[in-house]
C-alpha cells in the first residue's frame, strides 16, 4: 500500500474522500470541509457547494458556525486564568457571580420549582468547569418543570432568538433553583455559558477580547470569533435544518443578515464561535503538543492534561453514559463514548474505531473535532447541516471510521 509522508496511507485518504463525497452526492449535505492532520502534515478535502441549490464551491477557508464544538476552545480562557492563579478550582464563584450565591436546590429533580432545600455548599469553579454545578440539559428529565423554566429564560438557539447581555442573562439564571446539589451530577451545556461570563468578570474584558489576546491571536486563529464581519460574510454558508419528515432544506440561519453576521450581545462560550478547519487544527495541535504552539507556550502542560482527561466520578460518569446512550441512535453515537474533561469529551473506553484518550467534541450545526494523543492525529469535519436529521451525524461517524483506517 502506498504511503504519503504524513502517516496516512494514500489509499486510505482516497477512500476517505470517496466516503465523504457520497454524503454530498446523496444531496443530504450540500458541502463539507474535512481536515486530517498528523505530525506536520495536513490533508484537506473541500467537497460540494455552500448552498443546497448550488452556488459557490466549499473552500478550505469556508467559515462554519461551530455550535457546541466551541466548548473546547472557549474553555482555554478559563485555563489561562487557572494557570495564573486568578481562578482556583475549589474556590466558590460567589465573588464574581453573586447571582449564583446561596442557592436553593430542588428536593426532587422533576419536582415543582418551589419545593426546595438550601444548597449544601457554594458552587465552585470546578463545578462549572466540569459541568456539574447543578443545572443544564439533562436528557433524562426533559419534561421536568426546571427544564421548561431553564429553556424559557436562558435558551438562545435558532428557535428562541438571541440572548440578552450577560448581566441580564445571569439575573435570569439566578432566579432558578438548582436541579441537583453542586458537584453531584454531570449536565450538559449551561455550565459552559456561565464559564464565559465568569472569564469576562474576572478579567474585566469581554470573553472574546480575552480569548483573542491569550489564545486565538497567538495560535493564528484569525477566522475564529463570535460573528463573521462583512468582509468575510461570503465565506459563510447558510445553516440548514432539514425537515425531519420531508428532508426539505429549511434555512435555520442565513449568512448575510443572519445571526452570525452581527456581534452578539451575549458571547456564548457553549456554542457561539465561528471558525475554519485550519483554525481548529491549530488549536487541537497545540493541545496535542502539551500547550505549546510554534515555540510559544499558550497553556501549561498540566492545564492541558486537566482539560483532556476524564474529570468525572463513577457516579457522574454513569449519568452521562445513560444520557448519551439513550440518544445515540439519533446522533449515530456522537458523544456516547465515555468521560468528560473541561469543555470536552474524553474517551474512557473503546466504543468504536477511536482509541481511549481521544478528546474533543461535536456541534449541533454538523461539526466534529477531536484529537488523538495515541496516534498524534487531529480530525476536523465541518458541514452546514444541523442535527434535525441524522444525515450529518452519519457523515461524522463515517469520517472517523474511514480516518482511522487511513492511519498507516
Amino acid at each position: 500500500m502506498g504511503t504519503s509522508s504524513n502517516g496516512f496511507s494514500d489509499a486510505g485518504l482516497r477512500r476517505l474522500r470517496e466516503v465523504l463525497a457520497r454524503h454530498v452526492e446523496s444531496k443530504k449535505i450540500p458541502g463539507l470541509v474535512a481536515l486530517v492532520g498528523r505530525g506536520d502534515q495536513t490533508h484537506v478535502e473541500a467537497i460540494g457547494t455552500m448552498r443546497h441549490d448550488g452556488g459557490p464551491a466549499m473552500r478550505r477557508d469556508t467559515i462554519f458556525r461551530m455550535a457546541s464544538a466551541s466548548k473546547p476552545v472557549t474553555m482555554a480562557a478559563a485555563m489561562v486564568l487557572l494557570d495564573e492563579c486568578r481562578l482556583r478550582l475549589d474556590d466558590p464563584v460567589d465573588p464574581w457571580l453573586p447571582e449564583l450565591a446561596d442557592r436553593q436546590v430542588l428536593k426532587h429533580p422533576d419536582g415543582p420549582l418551589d419545593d426546595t432545600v438550601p444548597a449544601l455548599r457554594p458552587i465552585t469553579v470546578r463545578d462549572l468547569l466540569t459541568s456539574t454545578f447543578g443545572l443544564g440539559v439533562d436528557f433524562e428529565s426533559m419534561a421536568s418543570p426546571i427544564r421548561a423554566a431553564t429553556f424559557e429564560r436562558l435558551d438562545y438557539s435558532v428557535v428562541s432568538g438571541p440572548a440578552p447581555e450577560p448581566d441580564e442573562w445571569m439575573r435570569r439564571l439566578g432566579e432558578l433553583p438548582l436541579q441537583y446539589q453542586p458537584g453531584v451530577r454531570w449536565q450538559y451545556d449551561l455550565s459552559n455559558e456561565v464559564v464565559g461570563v465568569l472569564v469576562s468578570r474576572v478579567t474585566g474584558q469581554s470573553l472574546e477580547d480575552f480569548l483573542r489576546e491569550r489564545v486565538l491571536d497567538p495560535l493564528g486563529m484569525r477566522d475564529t470569533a463570535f460573528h463573521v464581519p462583512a468582509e468575510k460574510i461570503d465565506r459563510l454558508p447558510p445553516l440548514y435544518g432539514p425537515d425531519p419528515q420531508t428532508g426539505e432544506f429549511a434555512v435555520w440561519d442565513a449568512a448575510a443578515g443572519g445571526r452570525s453576521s452581527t456581534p452578539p450581545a451575549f458571547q456564548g462560550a457553549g456554542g457561539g464561535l465561528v471558525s475554519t478547519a485550519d483554525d481548529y487544527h491549530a488549536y487541537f495541535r497545540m493541545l496535542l503538543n502539551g500547550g505549546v504552539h510554534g515555540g510559544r507556550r499558550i497553556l501549561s502542560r498540566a492545564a492541558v492534561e486537566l482539560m483532556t482527561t476524564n474529570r468525572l466520578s463513577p457516579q457522574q460518569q454513569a449519568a452521562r453514559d445513560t444520557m448519551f446512550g439513550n440518544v445515540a441512535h439519533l446522533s449515530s453515537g456522537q458523544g456516547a463514548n465515555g468521560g468528560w474533561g473541561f469543555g470536552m469529551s474524553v474517551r474512557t473506553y473503546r466504543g468504536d474505531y477511536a482509541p481511549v484518550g481521544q478528546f474533543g467534541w461535536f456541534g449541533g450545526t454538523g461539526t466534529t473535532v477531536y484529537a488523538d494523543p495515541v496516534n498524534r492525529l487531529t480530525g476536523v469535519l465541518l458541514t452546514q447541516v444541523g442535527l434535525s436529521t441524522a444525515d450529518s451525524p452519519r457523515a461524522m461517524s463515517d469520517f472517523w471510521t474511514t480516518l482511522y483506517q487511513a492511519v498507516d
Side-chain angles (χ1 to χ4, degrees), residues 157-173:
S157 65
V158 285
V159 183
S160 310
E165 47 79 35
D167 290 351
E168 168 61 17
W169 190 88
M170 285 300 303
R171 186 191 69 75
R172 295 181 189 181
L173 175 61

Side-chain angles (χ1 to χ4, degrees), residues 128-153:
L128 289 178
L129 298 192
T130 53
S131 293
T132 59
F133 85 105
L135 273 177
V137 179
D138 200 324
F139 301 141
E140 286 188 60
S141 54
M142 295 303 264
S144 63
I146 188 64
R147 170 62 188 155
T150 307
F151 189 82
E152 179 194 349
R153 284 173 175 74

Side-chain angles (χ1 to χ4, degrees), residues 205-256:
Q205 295 176 266
S206 73
L207 171 62
E208 183 165 19
D209 285 350
F210 184 71
L211 192 66
R212 184 162 308 291
E213 189 182 297
R214 304 303 300 274
V215 180
L216 303 180
D217 281 354
L219 289 171
M221 296 172 69
R222 287 184 293 277
D223 292 321
T224 303
F226 285 98
H227 83 289
V228 182
E231 68 272 12
K232 296 181 183 180
I233 201 76
D234 61 313
R235 289 163 55 194
L236 179 74
L239 171 63
Y240 296 109
D243 183 292
Q245 269 65 54
T246 65
E248 191 180 343
F249 281 104
V251 175
W252 271 357
D253 188 41

